[in-house]
Amino acid sequence: MVVRTKLTPPRLDRVIKRPRLFQILEGWRHCPLLVVKAEPGYGKSVAVASFLAELPQRWAWCSLAETESEPLSFLDHLVAALHTLHPAIGEKARGLLAQEGGIRHLWPSVVTALVNDLADHLHEEAFLVLDDYHLASCPEVDAIVQRFIEYMPPQLHLALITRHALHWPALARWRAYGEVLEITQKELAFLPSEVIVLFQERFGMELSDEEAASLAQETEGWIIALQLVGVGGAGRRGFGARSLQEIFSYLVAEVLEREPAEIRALLMRTSVLRYPHTAI
């Protein structure tokens, strides 16, 4: 049963089934935390959403933005997401958040109220996804999420989908106790066998094993690049000028334009290397 808050998960009407990745994600059902970390275009959100779509359990999805890097805004959205799992979850937390000022001191009480509500009212297994966590991540929000993870009841499973690594001291302990499943670009990247299925189902193209292996190597299994090659009808020829231009446009929109102005200026200045003139 799908429960959504704020932005909805990615559209799943044309998702390619990936049994290998689903088998890895099955491990999430046996631990409290899933961390999916990869660069843009590796299908992080689609992988998690398509996995959850196959489950009978309730799940909630919250897509975060830069505005949620402020603790009050983040807690508002966390409460709203959890409230969709059960209508009794979050009432006391909302009352605390409505108090004027003092959010930096009140947030532990808000988290306590939420985990108590979850323990009292969430009697079946459920899943919560915080997508684009890197946009909200900051010391205050990280502290809130770590406390929430430490105390949330075992019937809730949390996923953090992010472009940036989490440098939390608690992660080492969670890893040691088997309480976190981590998925990276290595697991998300398409293998040659998956490239064959992708081109068959999405583009109606039959690739040989050698062609699929070449594409997987050339793109490093990056789904965005594979799709752009397929859309251009160049599956057997690899990258063409059009594919490279479309990949460049994607990177500008999804990576460069999302960086602060000073970072964009630095990247522009350092993107072209200058070679010293040498005498012949």
Side-chain angles (χ1 to χ4, degrees):
M1 180 181 296
V2 181
V3 183
R4 296 169 179 148
T5 182
K6 206 181 176 186
L7 300 179
T8 58
R11 290 181 57 184
L12 301 177
D13 51 341
R14 298 188 65 199
V15 169
I16 303 299
K17 299 291 185 182
R18 302 183 65 189
R20 173 185 64 87
L21 193 53
F22 278 24
Q23 187 174 9
I24 297 172
L25 282 164
E26 271 291 329
W28 182 24
R29 303 184 66 174
H30 306 290
C31 63
L33 178 63
L34 167 68
V35 177
V36 184
K37 184 267 176 186
E39 298 299 328
Y42 270 91
K44 303 182 292 295
S45 303
V46 169
V48 176
S50 56
F51 172 74
L52 289 174
E54 301 290 325
L55 300 181
Q57 289 85 359
R58 294 175 65 85
W59 54 279
W61 189 283
C62 185
S63 296
L64 299 170
E66 289 89 345
T67 51
E68 277 77 73
S69 62
E70 196 280 322
L72 178 58
S73 179
F74 175 80
L75 284 168
D76 275 336
H77 285 92
L78 179 62
V79 171
L82 293 171
H83 181 72
T84 61
L85 294 176
H86 192 285
I89 295 174
E91 294 304 320
K92 183 177 180 181
R94 282 176 169 163
L96 291 168
L97 291 173
Q99 297 182 24
E100 292 187 12
I103 184 60
R104 295 185 184 277
H105 303 291
L106 282 175
W107 72 259
S109 298
V110 174
V111 172
T112 299
L114 283 175
V115 297
N116 286 340
D117 280 351
L118 287 166
D120 292 340
H121 302 292
L122 191 65
H123 302 304
E124 298 178 350
E125 188 179 34
F127 299 82
L128 170 66
V129 178
L130 299 180
D131 194 12
D132 287 330
Y133 183 76
H134 56 278
L135 297 177
S137 179
C138 66
E140 294 86 354
V141 169
D142 288 347
I144 292 169
V145 175
Q146 288 177 81
R147 183 179 179 89
F148 179 76
I149 294 168
E150 291 278 11
Y151 293 103
M152 69 184 189
Q155 60 267 33
L156 181 67
H157 304 270
L158 174 66
L160 303 177
I161 302 177
T162 178
R163 294 181 182 180
H164 303 156
L166 301 177
H167 301 291
W168 297 351
L171 270 176
R173 174 164 47 84
W174 296 341
R175 291 186 185 111
Y177 285 98
E179 295 177 343
V180 57
L181 172 65
E182 297 174 274
I183 294 179
T184 65
Q185 288 175 196
K186 179 181 178 182
E187 291 78 28
L188 292 167
F190 272 60
L191 300 179
S193 59
E194 294 170 321
V195 173
I196 289 176
V197 174
L198 171 68
F199 275 77
Q200 283 175 339
E201 297 188 8
R202 184 68 56 82
F203 309 113
M205 297 176 61
E206 299 290 337
L207 299 182
S208 68
D209 292 343
E210 292 76 13
E211 290 165 343
S214 177
L215 271 177
Q217 181 179 17
E218 194 172 1
T219 62
E220 297 184 352
W222 188 28
I223 180 58
I224 286 294
L226 288 166
Q227 290 190 135
L228 291 175
V229 170
V231 168
R236 294 182 175 85
R237 300 188 304 274
F239 284 110
R242 178 181 173 183
S243 299
L244 290 172
Q245 180 59 45
E246 289 174 340
I247 291 171
F248 173 77
S249 299
Y250 172 84
L251 289 173
V252 168
E254 291 295 317
V255 181
L256 186 61
E257 290 184 357
R258 295 184 179 220
E259 295 293 342
E262 61 272 17
I263 298 297
R264 293 201 302 270
L266 174 65
L267 291 173
M268 293 295 289
R269 289 198 306 270
T270 59
S271 60
V272 179
L273 298 177
R274 291 187 176 89
Y275 290 90
H277 294 288
T278 56
I280 299 179

